[in-house]
Amino acid sequence: MKILVVEDEERVAHFIQKGLKEEGHAVDVSYDGEDGEFLGSVNDYDLIILDLMLPKKNGIVVCRELRAGGVSTPVLMLTARDSVEDKVRGLDAGADDYLPKPFAFEELLARVRALLRRQSDNKSPVLSMADLSLDPISRRVTRNDNPIRLTTKEYALLEYLLRNPNKVLSRTLIGEHVWDMNFDPESNVIDVYVSHLRSKIDKGHEISLLHTLRGQGYLLSDNSPPT
Ligand code: CA
């Protein structure tokens, strides 16, 4: 999934970015409130991790302005300390959750998973379709109980498809949610990854789950798509 991290402490920002990338997420980083608000309003993120104390514009103002502009992306606010006042201001500004610093990375990941789940069409902790399943906690993928080994990017692609089951997803949409802002939408990278993923999840199975709709995009479904 695609996540924006707005955090002015470079060390913390890179630590979060590296950890989330290892989990298969596409991560953009911004170091001040103005730039963060701009990125959050022009790109379609699945989650925004927003520090409270930021140069140029603080996290409360950024969150309030994003909400006023119609951005409904879940926001996880990082507060500098365990202050009730900061938490209340953050939640009142439209944040969905908060995490006081310093935090354990495991806790950040658990909150990220919960927020992504809340917003997804697929609310269960383990994502599945027919006999295919993906567990975001153990990162284990199986089909008919047989483990499937995926690369980080193939995993991210499958997670996005499973969070949007039975929906036609265009290449643009997939690019926006699975790749970071340096992704070139003109390249055929998505088709290459889809073809690798398809051979890993569908090959040798009677029912194909990953379908191509020519000129439209891709669909994960256990029903045959309309032709
Ligand atoms: Ca800060």
Side-chain angles (χ1 to χ4, degrees), residues 7-9 51 53-54 101:
E7 163 64 84
D8 56 313
E9 280 174 73
D51 189 29
M53 299 294 287
L54 288 167
K101 288 198 222 172

Side-chain angles (χ1 to χ4, degrees), residues 70-140:
V71 175
S72 60
T73 307
V75 170
L76 172 61
M77 189 85 82
L78 302 178
T79 58
R81 58 193 176 282
D82 206 356
S83 135
V84 173
E85 196 194 335
D86 281 356
K87 287 178 204 166
V88 171
R89 284 169 63 218
L91 294 170
D92 281 346
D96 297 272
D97 198 4
Y98 58 85
L99 186 59
K101 288 198 222 172
F103 51 82
F105 195 70
E106 278 307 301
E107 184 175 5
L108 177 78
L109 287 181
R111 286 174 191 271
V112 165
R113 283 193 294 268
L115 287 168
L116 291 175
R117 189 162 66 230
R118 211 185 287 175
Q119 182 218 22
S120 162
D121 287 351
N122 204 331
K123 307 279 180 203
S124 135
V126 174
L127 303 170
S128 66
M129 173 170 288
D131 54 356
L132 173 71
S133 83
L134 176 152
D135 181 346
I137 299 166
S138 65
R139 300 174 53 77
R140 192 176 142 86

Side-chain angles (χ1 to χ4, degrees), residues 31-221:
Y31 301 101
D32 70 67
E34 261 175 33
D35 181 60
E37 184 179 327
F38 172 73
L39 289 177
S41 59
V42 297
N43 296 321
D44 188 8
Y45 292 100
D46 298 293
L47 176 70
I48 299 173
I49 297 176
L50 182 60
D51 189 29
L52 191 141
M53 299 294 287
L54 288 167
K56 297 189 183 170
K57 212 178 245 190
N58 75 43
I60 302 279
V61 177
V62 172
C63 188
R64 198 182 296 133
E65 292 183 358
L66 283 173
R67 291 292 182 248
V71 175
S72 60
T73 307
V75 170
L76 172 61
M77 189 85 82
L78 302 178
T79 58
R81 58 193 176 282
D82 206 356
S83 135
V84 173
E85 196 194 335
D86 281 356
K87 287 178 204 166
V88 171
R89 284 169 63 218
L91 294 170
D92 281 346
D96 297 272
D97 198 4
Y98 58 85
L99 186 59
K101 288 198 222 172
F103 51 82
F105 195 70
E106 278 307 301
E107 184 175 5
L108 177 78
L109 287 181
R111 286 174 191 271
V112 165
R113 283 193 294 268
L115 287 168
L116 291 175
R117 189 162 66 230
R118 211 185 287 175
Q119 182 218 22
S120 162
D121 287 351
N122 204 331
K123 307 279 180 203
S124 135
V126 174
L127 303 170
S128 66
M129 173 170 288
D131 54 356
L132 173 71
S133 83
L134 176 152
D135 181 346
I137 299 166
S138 65
R139 300 174 53 77
R140 192 176 142 86
V141 177
T142 61
R143 180 132 194 213
N144 193 18
D145 293 328
N146 294 312
I148 298 172
R149 292 177 66 93
L150 298 179
T151 65
T152 308
K153 217 57 186 170
E154 289 163 357
Y155 175 92
L157 178 60
L158 181 59
E159 180 181 2
Y160 179 64
L161 294 166
L162 279 165
R163 288 197 190 278
N164 296 280
N166 303 304
K167 271 190 207 164
V168 179
L169 302 166
S170 67
R171 283 174 186 76
T172 308
L173 211 51
I174 292 172
E176 279 173 1
H177 288 267
V178 182
W179 274 266
D180 65 25
M181 59 185 170
N182 301 313
F183 175 69
D184 172 10
E186 299 298 316
S187 78
N188 69 342
V189 165
I190 293 173
D191 309 80
V192 171
Y193 275 94
V194 167
S195 124
H196 288 165
L197 180 62
R198 177 183 286 130
S199 76
K200 290 186 182 183
I201 65 171
D202 277 344
K203 205 172 176 185
H205 294 270
E206 205 171 308
I207 299 174
S208 291
L209 299 176
L210 184 44
H211 309 280
T212 303
L213 284 94
R214 214 160 281 286
Q216 297 178 63
Y218 297 103
L219 171 76
L220 193 74
S221 173

